Amino acid sequence: MKMSKLIVGILGAGKLGMTLAKLGLDAGYQVNIAGSKDPAKIVLATSVLAPGAQPMYVQDVIEKSDIIFLALPLSKYQNNDAKWFAGKTVVDSMNYWWEIDGKTSSYYYDEQQTSSEKVQAYLSDSIVVKAFNHMGYHDLADGAHKDRVIVYAGTDETALAKIKQIIIDFGFVPYYIGDLHATSQLQPSGVLFGADEDMAGIKRLLNK
């Protein structure tokens, strides 16, 4: 079933956020986007990098969108009130990066809990799916419709079906890896982090 009538909201107006916005627009989605401040500050960048995306305040993006992408620095997602996300499907596309997030990586993930599990714990009234984090923004921009795989994870079947369709609509091949604990393979130092591969390449990395 085509999901293109869903409204995509993106939190984060950096390189990843703008790339996701353009992919969504190219796929026929309505896209709302927010930076960290006044939406007027991203109007020019949006008009150049993702023309057609609607700059808004963060809370408005969440309220007016069906699927919310977190394309923020990992250290910033808790700056937003978890209650705003209640009932929403949230795509965690974030990664720890020490230059931005600080050198204490264990704050964001450890052997017991992945960063996405921590995001889900914070957004306890939302459904979190991990996707679009293992490939760099430049590879995302270049890889659409070239049999590149986007690996995704989560447990809610309805949400997973929506994200699977979005992956297809954005021009990629979906590969389901399991629940959010399985995303240790997608995080920095994980075997799939940085993977810009077709299905054969993904399965080779996973020894499948």
Side-chain angles (χ1 to χ4, degrees), residues 48-119:
V48 173
L49 299 173
Q54 300 299 311
M56 299 179 181
Y57 286 102
V58 168
Q59 195 168 358
D60 291 332
V61 167
I62 298 167
E63 180 181 337
K64 296 178 181 181
S65 306
D66 301 305
I67 305 290
I68 313 299
F69 281 80
L70 297 180
L72 303 162
L74 187 58
S75 56
K76 303 297 184 184
Y77 73 90
Q78 293 186 57
N79 292 353
N80 300 306
D81 192 333
K83 294 178 182 178
W84 296 348
F85 297 85
K88 296 286 185 176
T89 296
V90 178
V91 181
D92 173 14
S93 300
M94 300 181 292
N95 290 307
Y96 167 73
W97 188 244
W98 72 267
E99 291 181 331
I100 297 173
D101 299 314
K103 294 186 178 181
T104 310
S105 62
S106 60
Y107 180 80
Y108 302 104
Y109 57 84
D110 52 44
E111 291 183 4
Q112 284 73 44
Q113 197 172 41
T114 65
S115 62
S116 289
E117 288 176 297
K118 291 180 183 290
V119 172

Side-chain angles (χ1 to χ4, degrees), residues 148 175 191-192 195-208:
R148 302 291 91 177
Y175 184 89
V191 67
L192 294 179
D196 175 20
E197 300 282 351
D198 60 13
M199 187 64 76
I202 292 293
K203 290 184 175 180
R204 183 175 63 252
L205 289 169
L206 292 171
N207 294 317
K208 291 190 175 182

Side-chain angles (χ1 to χ4, degrees), residues 8 10 12-27 29-34 42-56 141 170:
V8 169
I10 298 171
K15 293 172 181 177
L16 175 60
M18 288 294 182
T19 299
L20 290 169
K22 187 173 188 307
L23 287 169
L25 292 162
D26 289 348
Y29 286 80
Q30 179 178 331
V31 176
N32 302 322
I33 189 168
I42 64 169
V43 167
L44 178 58
T46 302
S47 69
V48 173
L49 299 173
Q54 300 299 311
M56 299 179 181
F170 280 22

Side-chain angles (χ1 to χ4, degrees), residues 91-207:
V91 181
D92 173 14
S93 300
M94 300 181 292
N95 290 307
Y96 167 73
W97 188 244
W98 72 267
E99 291 181 331
I100 297 173
D101 299 314
K103 294 186 178 181
T104 310
S105 62
S106 60
Y107 180 80
Y108 302 104
Y109 57 84
D110 52 44
E111 291 183 4
Q112 284 73 44
Q113 197 172 41
T114 65
S115 62
S116 289
E117 288 176 297
K118 291 180 183 290
V119 172
Q120 178 66 87
Y122 180 70
L123 302 179
S124 57
D125 293 324
S126 310
I127 298 166
V128 173
V129 176
K130 186 74 166 183
F132 291 97
N133 80 296
H134 64 82
M135 193 184 297
Y137 73 91
H138 48 285
D139 292 325
L140 283 171
D142 295 338
H145 308 290
K146 293 182 180 178
D147 296 324
R148 302 291 91 177
V149 169
I150 293 295
V151 181
Y152 67 112
T155 54
D156 185 278
E157 290 186 4
T158 300
L160 289 169
K162 292 176 182 178
I163 304 313
K164 179 180 180 180
Q165 189 61 56
I166 285 176
I167 291 169
I168 293 168
D169 290 345
F170 280 22
F172 298 90
V173 178
Y175 184 89
Y176 178 67
I177 199 171
D179 61 19
L180 293 179
H181 192 66
T183 61
S184 60
Q185 299 174 93
L186 302 175
Q187 295 179 161
S189 78
V191 67
L192 294 179
F193 184 70
D196 175 20
E197 300 282 351
D198 60 13
M199 187 64 76
I202 292 293
K203 290 184 175 180
R204 183 175 63 252
L205 289 169
L206 292 171
N207 294 317

